[in-house]
């Protein structure tokens, strides 16, 4: 395997826009073009795994060759005991605490990760990798299929949460790290945290699954299916072979993002932010333009999303979440997934999160207690819904700080 | 423990009953004062359950393994004999089903430690006798209609409950208002009259 770091490319700030009847390669916004570059030739660190190191997928086939794009922050100490792996959510990426190479926005967990923050990069060596199946530099449906030289599209085998974790374990191996001080993540990242703890209990000292669950519920699968159908109903999706036509299914993916975005918020938060306020107008237009601020907001969310995300990757990652059911992998007994574990857990949920409600976290806590594991569980009181895990929530950050501090003390981990 | 304003005079007595390095579950651990004491002084492997989210968040922020939960409904999730000691301090009288809670504690733990305010204390008796109203004292400051303490008992009542659930008493103490052990060789009636709190070490 070889490590490469390509030049850090900054992106322009020109907003993306829609062209009715599909987006041609020629009028593709610079951001979208940049996003496509990042998919194959990322500005992150990259580890390439050759034919000698295939990734064995749950689908029963091997993925080879493949690559993982990742970022690191802080310094690995001499004993190699201070590494923290952060697992990103569905549409997240490895850019936890640095400006995003496509959008230029601050890192998605800037509030939590950095010098002196809850996940203190003066003390810990933080790793975050783009998951397999995504589109920011790790192998996914937008990556070239070595058999054809063209993007995989739907020829990429279906990826699971366990596959993502297996790939991350290969990355951690490649970095020469045996045990991770902590594995931390929210939402889909939290699923990966639970999978890490179940698959590699001896390699995980502490685990912090946030706003997550040990399975995707029927309701969650339903929302994902709406999103996938929106993508696939866009004629420009072209059976997943849109790279060949030069048109991208921007409308479908945008609708998928709009629907999903609603599930990340809460009704009180929406009401507080938008209410029934009108967008740049004094009265209703009696038409189907975006009269309400909430409509305008969602459209904006949809449009900006398609510039930075690959439609097929969206299909693969939503599928991975749908397939996740940790109890089913252990004959229906979730506690068995954690039998004999020495890992210390800190489970976090948010009161207004209806995508991964507290009951899902509580089921994990119950199973961990049943397995005799060391577990803390905090439910943070907030009206900001599922997305609260990305936001500045002092009580949440306080819990993470306290938990990591005491665990680091127990393990004798000093600043690097 | 977060149930009342009772000064935690029972903490030192409870800590005395626990052997070093033991596995301890503190049910109703409040802000984690006992767990903190036990982890620092006795090196125990401590866990807690606390009903108030605020208490839980405080505990986790100070590095304790604590979950939000309810003694009445959540003890059932723990495996048999998963702990050396299960502690219920100043919380028994606030549970919906004290008998079931005690039963679960004896199942989960090798030993159970229970402390509770004694409703047979002379001040309580005197208050009811003279005023004819439900006692409101410095330590139990609630009126009858808003009290979380729904199942008060006396030391004698508790001894009866122990017999009913088949618990063996390994040690019993009565404490005065300052947490001092009173009259170790005194008969039950004396404790039941002068004990402000009862602290029991049980096993089955």
């Amino acid at each position: 395997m070889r490590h490469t770091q390509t030049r850090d490319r900054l992106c322009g700030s020109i907003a993306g826009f829609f062209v009715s009847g599909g987006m041609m390669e020629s009028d593709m916004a610079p951001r979208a073009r940049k996003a496509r570059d990042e998919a194959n030739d990322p500005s992150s660190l990259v580890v390439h795994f050759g034919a000698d190191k295939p990734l064995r997928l749950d689908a029963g086939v091997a993925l080879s060759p493949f690559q993982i794009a990742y970022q690191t922050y802080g310094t690995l100490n001499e004993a190699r005991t201070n590494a923290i792996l952060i697992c990103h959510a569905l549409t997240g990426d490895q850019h936890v605490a640095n400006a995003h190479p496509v959008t230029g926005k601050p890192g998605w967990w800037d509030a939590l990760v950095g010098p002196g923050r809850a996940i203190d990069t003066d003390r810990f060596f933080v790793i975050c990798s783009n998951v397999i199946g995504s589109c920011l530099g790790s192998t996914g449906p937008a990556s070239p299929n070595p058999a054809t030289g063209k993007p995989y599209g739907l020829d990429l085998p279906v990826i699971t949460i366990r596959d993502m974790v297996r790939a991350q374990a290969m990355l951690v191996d490649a970095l020469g790290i045996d045990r991770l001080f902590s594995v931390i993540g929210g939402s889909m990242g939290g699923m990966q945290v639970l999978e890490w703890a179940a698959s590699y209990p001896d390699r995980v000292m502490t685990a912090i699954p946030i706003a997550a669950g040990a399975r995707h519920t029927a309701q969650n699968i339903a929302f994902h299916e709406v999103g996938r159908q929106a993508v696939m109903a866009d004629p420009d999706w072209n059976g997943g072979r849109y790279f060949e036509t030069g048109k991208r299914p921007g409308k479908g993916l945008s609708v998928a993002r709009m629907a999903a975005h609603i599930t990340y918020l809460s009704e009180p938060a929406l009401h507080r932010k938008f209410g029934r306020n009108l967008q740049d107008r004094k009265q209703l237009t009696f038409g189907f333009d975006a009269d309400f601020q909430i409509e305008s907001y969602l459209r904006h969310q949809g449009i900006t999303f398609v510039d930075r995300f690959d439609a097929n990757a969206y299909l693969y990652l939503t599928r991975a979440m749908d397939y996740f059911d940790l109890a089913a992998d252990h004959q229906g007994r979730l506690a068995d997934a954690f039998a004999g574990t020495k890992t210390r857990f800190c489970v976090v949920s948010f009161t207004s999160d209806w995508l991964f409600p507290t009951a899902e976290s509580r089921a994990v806590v119950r199973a961990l207690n049943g397995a005799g594991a060391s577990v803390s569980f905090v439910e943070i009181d907030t009206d900001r819904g599922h997305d609260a895990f990305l936001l500045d929530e002092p009580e949440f950050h306080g819990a993470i700080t306290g938990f990591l501090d005491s665990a680091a003390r127990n393990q004798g981990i000093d600043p690097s | 423990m977060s149930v009342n304003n009772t000064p935690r005079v029972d903490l030192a007595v409870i800590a005395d009953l626990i052997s070093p390095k033991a596995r301890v579950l503190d049910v109703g651990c409040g802000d984690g004062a006992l767990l903190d004491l036990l982890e620092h002084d006795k090196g125990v492997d401590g866990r807690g359950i606390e009903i108030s989210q605020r208490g839980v968040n405080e505990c986790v922020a100070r590095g304790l393994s604590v979950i939000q939960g309810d003694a009445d409904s959540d003890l059932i999730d723990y495996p048999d004999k998963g702990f050396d000691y299960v502690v219920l301090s100043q919380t028994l009288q606030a549970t919906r089903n004290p008998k079931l809670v005690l039963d679960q504690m004896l199942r989960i733990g090798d030993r159970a430690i229970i402390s509770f305010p004694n409703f047979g204390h002379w001040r309580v008796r005197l208050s009811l006798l003279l005023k004819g109203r439900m006692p409101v004292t410095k330590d139990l400051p609630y009126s009858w209609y808003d009290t979380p303490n729904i199942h008060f008992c006396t030391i004698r009542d508790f001894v009866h409950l122990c017999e009913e659930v088949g618990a063996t008493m390994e040690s019993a103490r009565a404490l005065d208002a300052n947490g001092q052990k009173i009259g170790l060789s005194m008969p039950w009636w004396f404790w039941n009259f002068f004990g402000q709190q009862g602290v029991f070490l049980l096993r089955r």
Side-chain angles (χ1 to χ4, degrees), chain B residues 187-200:
Chain B
W188 285 117
W189 72 261
F190 185 87
W191 283 11
N192 204 26
F193 199 75
F194 292 106
Q196 204 259 351
Q197 294 186 49
V199 183
F200 287 76

Side-chain angles (χ1 to χ4, degrees), chain A residues 362 366 373-374 377 379 395, chain B residues 47 53 57 65-66 68 77:
Chain A
R362 206 177 279 285
R366 203 172 292 134
S374 167
F377 167 50
E379 184 189 26
E395 212 172 347
Chain B
R47 314 282 164 79
Q53 196 55 56
N57 296 3
S65 288
V66 171
Q68 198 274 332
D77 300 328

